[in-house]
Amino acid sequence: MTNRERWILALWLTGVGVVVWAVVQFGFEPVTAALGIGGTILVASPAKAIIRRTWAWNAEPSEGAQLDAAAVALNRAVERHWTTEAGRRKQHLVVDRIPVRWDTVHDPRSRAALAGDTGPLTQHGTLDALIDDYLAQPSRLVIVGDVGSGKTGLCVKLTLELCRRADPQRVPVLLQLSTWDPAVSFQDWMVRRVTEDYRFLNDTTKYGQGSAMELFLHRRLLPILDGLDELPLETRAQVIRTLRDNTHLPTDTVLTCCSAEFRAAMAEEPLLDSRTVRLLPLLPEDTVTYLESHFPDDLDRWQPVLRSLREDATGPLATTLSRPLMLFLARATYQPRDSAPEDLLDEARFDASEQIEEHLLDMFVPVVFESPPVGAYEGNPARASRDWPAPEAKRYLSFLAGCLDSQRRSGEHGAADLNWWALPALAGVPRYAFVVVPAVIGTASCCLLGLLVFGLFGRPAFGALFGAAVGVVFSPLLGLVRVQPPRRFAPRRVRQQDQLLVRPLFIDLGFGLIGLVTGGLIATLLYSPTFGLTAGLAFGLVFATARRFTRPTEPKHEITPLRSLLDDRNAVLYVWLLGSAAGLVVGGFLATAGSDEARYDLVFSVSPLAQGVMGALVGALLSGGGLGMVVLATSAWGRFLTARWWLAWRAHTPWHLVAFLDDAHKLGVLRSTGAHYQFRHATLQHRLAAGRTAPSLASPGSPGAD
């Protein structure tokens, strides 16, 4: 045990001793009142930030073997996640890979090649050739191209290839630049993003303190930054300055951007010594080959389209399908045999490529939701996917896309994060909902618990009134607590060498006061002040430290939004079990040791053994239910439940919102980046947000890769 641990343990023991002395000296009620008033003042104190820093301590910085272990675990988690994501994006099969080609815009390595310092340089070719060349001769790589030219798909493939190296010097992390808030330093954003997506890095026992930051500072992270064009011009310049000037960023960082936006950014802030390659539009013959490979036994429907692509390589249709995103949308929209791809040749409807693009974007969501393709729901066998009516699915997604667009600042056009835990703020759920809902549920639950406990002693009316009073006082206050990010807990024994991490001090204090006051009052009213003090201290300690002695652990599943939600829900259930276990012990103790000092007799006669068992069960229900409600009301999952009910009541989203988002991800409408959802492409998000409708097309689609 370290000196700091000894000091904090001594302080806690001193505090307990002071409370016991005060109760003996002045009585239970005055001390309880003083603690409540003092705790309220302390929570409202403007000096709480200073107090938090004073009382917080950390483990030693991650280094050496711990840093190596963190890098290995992170590499494994990144590969696991993006392998799953590539499968859902239909990028893992050879037949699904769109034949994108590239050529070199600028290559500073050519100077070194003239001096004989490098081997032969590849100047153009396939994506496989570009990845092989990058792995053989790493250097800063900038990938440019038109909207929907396949830049994100290339990033996913490159990330997986880097992860599969035998002994990676740096771990690739694929990050969407559209999620960066310029109010936060680029370095801090990158580290925080990695920590949020791969929360097992917070395990200080295994990886040390601040392992993500240490990986960054030791140049062990290889950022693959996607979507520079999705930031405003001035923000793009900040990114380029960071890449150029931050010495902790490796020189072989990968960056993607649309061509025109990158030229404008380079005019503001040049990025020297970077290799720039451009993704080329698909050749008509490659487009034809791709479509033929997907419809080998159904080419008659496609013959007019294939003929047009061969004969008019510069027409609206060929121009539209020269981009991988639009080619995939065409394949998905006209997958069913009863559809007519030749409609795309209707010059009365589509006299320009922009109109064809809008049509394909409008039809994508109705198609994949009206009749999902075979295999689209694979990967989650534990739950059967639901049938979502296509018009309602599009309306739900349009609402969410509109919320994302509205929160973006002027000049930002990228796909924003759709986080389930941020849904209350994103969708504008009023604050009073998070006060009223806990107040109603908490008051009703506490009323029933009080009725049960005091009803056993012949005072049901008093118990119901007491429980309702507790719910009215404490439940609304829980709705005012600032929501916390999702948690993942693994209960385990706290070892001596473990470093204790102080959780938010004032939330713990509030939880402790709830346990102390309610548990102490109930035991005092039923038994005596001595037993009330004992029960109050026990419940207060359990409530205050319910989440303290747990650690994030390395996940056994890929990082997904659904996984993070289940983890947070399981954390709430774990705390409920912890409270039940504590109540089991305290209730059994009071029912046996305090039987002679009980103020009231039970309404029925039982043996001492049965009385002890009954007391243990009642204590488990009381403590587990109370602590469970406290943690649920302040958890990300609890806030999400309230937001979900509110939005469903307003018909903005479905009642089963989690299942809907998961199915939209499986269908390829949404993509997953760590624990965050995003729309598959910013173009699709903005089109849905525009609220334009399209005629229904009852046909199955097949999601594929950008």
Side-chain angles (χ1 to χ4, degrees):
M1 182 178 293
T2 64
N3 290 332
R4 287 183 175 179
E5 288 176 339
R6 295 189 182 94
W7 275 107
I8 204 67
L9 179 60
L11 183 61
W12 277 106
L13 293 176
T14 302
V16 171
V18 170
V19 171
V20 173
W21 172 83
V23 170
V24 173
Q25 188 73 18
F26 303 104
F28 185 79
E29 287 77 7
V31 173
T32 301
L35 287 175
I37 297 173
T40 303
I41 296 175
L42 186 60
V43 170
S45 171
K48 63 181 180 181
I50 300 176
I51 298 174
R52 185 187 298 114
R53 289 194 299 269
T54 302
W55 286 94
W57 68 89
N58 300 303
E60 295 298 324
S62 177
E63 60 183 10
Q66 286 184 319
L67 201 61
D68 292 337
V72 171
L74 178 60
N75 188 84
R76 184 165 57 248
V78 170
E79 180 182 4
R80 184 187 303 118
H81 168 69
W82 287 111
T83 297
T84 302
E85 187 67 15
R88 289 185 171 178
R89 295 168 62 92
K90 302 299 181 183
Q91 291 183 247
H92 62 303
L93 298 178
V94 176
V95 70
D96 288 320
R97 296 176 184 172
I98 298 177
V100 178
R101 297 182 180 273
W102 59 277
D103 65 4
T104 300
V105 177
H106 172 70
D107 193 350
R109 301 177 307 164
S110 58
R111 299 192 302 271
L114 293 175
D117 295 336
T118 64
L121 303 179
T122 304
Q123 298 298 317
H124 57 82
T126 64
L127 294 186
D128 289 336
L130 176 60
I131 292 174
D132 292 340
D133 191 52
Y134 175 82
L135 294 176
Q137 302 183 46
S139 62
R140 183 182 292 122
L141 178 62
V142 178
I143 304 168
V144 300
D146 295 333
V147 175
S149 60
K151 298 183 292 296
T152 300
L154 173 57
C155 288
V156 173
K157 187 174 182 180
L158 178 59
T159 299
L160 289 175
E161 292 296 331
L162 288 167
C163 285
R164 290 163 183 164
R165 293 184 300 179
D167 184 20
Q169 295 298 315
R170 287 181 298 277
V171 182
V173 285
L174 176 52
L175 303 172
Q176 298 294 328
L177 285 171
S178 60
T179 63
W180 177 41
D181 183 358
V184 180
S185 74
F186 192 80
Q187 173 176 310
D188 291 343
W189 165 77
M190 187 182 303
V191 171
R192 185 177 66 185
R193 189 74 182 200
V194 171
T195 304
E196 289 176 353
D197 290 350
Y198 307 100
R199 285 172 288 133
F200 62 86
L201 293 174
N202 292 320
D203 188 345
T204 57
T205 301
K206 193 170 185 180
Y207 304 119
Q209 175 66 23
S211 57
M213 176 62 77
E214 293 301 320
L215 286 171
F216 176 82
L217 296 178
H218 286 78
R219 299 166 66 91
R220 301 291 298 273
L221 296 180
L222 176 54
I224 300 179
L225 307 173
D226 185 30
L228 180 65
D229 53 281
E230 297 179 359
L231 296 173
L233 179 59
E234 61 275 11
T235 309
R236 296 176 212 153
Q238 294 181 44
V239 174
I240 292 178
R241 281 195 297 270
T242 300
L243 294 177
R244 186 184 60 202
D245 300 336
N246 193 313
T247 58
H248 297 295
L249 283 170
T251 57
D252 50 355
T253 301
V254 179
L255 177 69
T256 75
C257 186
C258 286
S259 301
E261 284 77 1
F262 185 70
R263 287 194 297 269
M266 288 290 286
E268 294 287 331
E269 289 287 343
L271 186 61
L272 304 177
D273 294 330
S274 62
R275 182 188 184 192
T276 305
V277 300
R278 176 178 59 246
L279 300 186
L280 301 175
L282 298 173
L283 298 175
E285 53 266 28
D286 289 336
T287 303
V288 170
T289 301
Y290 177 82
L291 292 174
E292 288 178 340
S293 66
H294 281 85
F295 304 98
D297 57 348
D298 192 24
L299 287 178
D300 291 342
R301 290 190 304 116
W302 286 91
Q303 285 301 334
V305 171
L306 301 179
R307 188 182 310 111
S308 174
L309 292 173
R310 293 189 182 100
E311 296 176 355
D312 188 3
T314 59
L317 181 59
T319 301
T320 301
L321 299 187
S322 66
R323 286 189 281 169
L325 174 62
M326 294 300 155
L327 179 58
F328 152 69
L329 292 178
R331 166 198 163 188
T333 301
Y334 295 99
Q335 182 84 16
R337 293 178 180 270
D338 59 350
S339 63
E342 62 181 340
D343 290 346
L344 295 173
L345 301 175
D346 187 351
E347 296 183 357
R349 295 175 58 191
F350 312 117
D351 59 354
S353 61
E354 291 78 11
Q355 294 175 329
I356 300 178
E357 293 173 8
E358 292 175 356
H359 169 72
L360 294 176
L361 289 168
D362 288 338
M363 299 310 305
F364 175 56
V365 171
V367 164
V368 296
F369 272 97
E370 285 188 359
S371 185
V374 176
Y377 288 134
E378 293 177 355
N380 190 8
R383 178 186 55 79
S385 296
R386 303 173 183 273
D387 293 328
W388 308 100
E392 295 183 9
K394 186 171 184 180
R395 178 166 56 85
Y396 299 148
L397 290 169
S398 296
F399 170 77
L400 296 173
C403 292
L404 292 174
D405 266 17
S406 65
Q407 78 168 4
R408 307 292 284 173
R409 288 185 294 273
S410 176
E412 296 183 358
H413 305 290
D417 281 343
L418 179 58
N419 299 326
W420 61 266
W421 62 88
L423 187 64
L426 175 67
V429 180
R431 185 66 180 271
Y432 67 80
F434 302 101
V435 177
V436 172
V437 171
V440 173
I441 297 178
T443 300
S445 301
C446 291
C447 181
L448 292 176
L449 289 175
L451 177 66
L452 170 64
V453 175
F454 285 89
L456 294 174
F457 293 89
R459 306 190 65 189
F462 175 80
L465 182 62
F466 175 82
V470 171
V472 168
V473 172
F474 290 114
S475 296
L477 297 179
L478 296 175
L480 300 177
V481 177
R482 183 177 180 180
V483 66
Q484 298 185 8
R487 296 175 177 271
R488 177 186 177 90
F489 290 102
R492 61 178 177 82
R493 182 174 59 89
V494 180
R495 298 172 296 182
Q496 182 175 352
Q497 64 268 27
D498 288 350
Q499 294 286 345
L500 295 178
L501 292 179
V502 175
R503 299 295 178 183
L505 176 62
F506 300 99
I507 295 180
D508 287 351
L509 176 63
F511 286 5
L513 285 176
I514 293 175
L516 175 66
V517 173
T518 56
L521 281 178
I522 291 174
T524 299
L525 291 172
L526 293 177
Y527 294 97
S528 67
T530 302
F531 283 99
L533 174 62
T534 303
L537 290 177
F539 286 129
L541 181 62
V542 172
F543 276 45
T545 60
R547 302 176 299 172
R548 187 182 300 271
F549 302 108
T550 55
R551 297 290 186 273
T553 59
E554 189 169 341
K556 298 180 180 179
H557 306 276
E558 66 273 10
I559 308 297
T560 65
L562 181 59
R563 186 74 253 163
S564 67
L565 186 142
L566 294 177
D567 288 343
D568 197 74
R569 184 199 65 182
N570 292 340
V572 175
L573 297 179
Y574 162 68
V575 173
W576 176 82
L577 291 175
L578 179 64
S580 298
L584 195 73
V585 175
V586 175
F589 170 76
L590 292 177
T592 54
S595 58
D596 295 335
E597 299 188 27
R599 296 178 183 269
Y600 311 99
D601 295 327
L602 290 173
V603 294
F604 48 83
S605 299
V606 295
S607 66
L609 177 60
Q611 182 173 333
V613 172
M614 185 175 61
L617 294 178
V618 171
L621 179 63
L622 182 64
S623 178
L627 184 56
M629 286 188 292
V630 168
V631 175
L632 175 64
T634 57
S635 68
W637 178 54
R639 298 295 177 90
F640 171 74
L641 289 178
T642 300
R644 192 193 76 179
W645 295 335
W646 175 271
L647 294 174
W649 176 62
R650 301 292 297 272
H652 292 315
T653 60
W655 284 100
H656 304 284
L657 179 56
V658 176
F660 175 74
L661 294 177
D662 189 40
D663 288 345
H665 176 216
K666 294 174 184 177
L667 288 171
V669 179
L670 300 178
R671 66 189 181 192
S672 170
T673 58
H676 315 270
Y677 282 128
Q678 290 184 340
F679 278 89
R680 181 188 185 92
H681 198 279
T683 306
L684 178 62
Q685 174 187 313
H686 303 322
R687 184 65 183 174
L688 286 169
R692 301 180 184 179
T693 59
S696 176
L697 179 61
S699 59
S702 176
D706 295 310

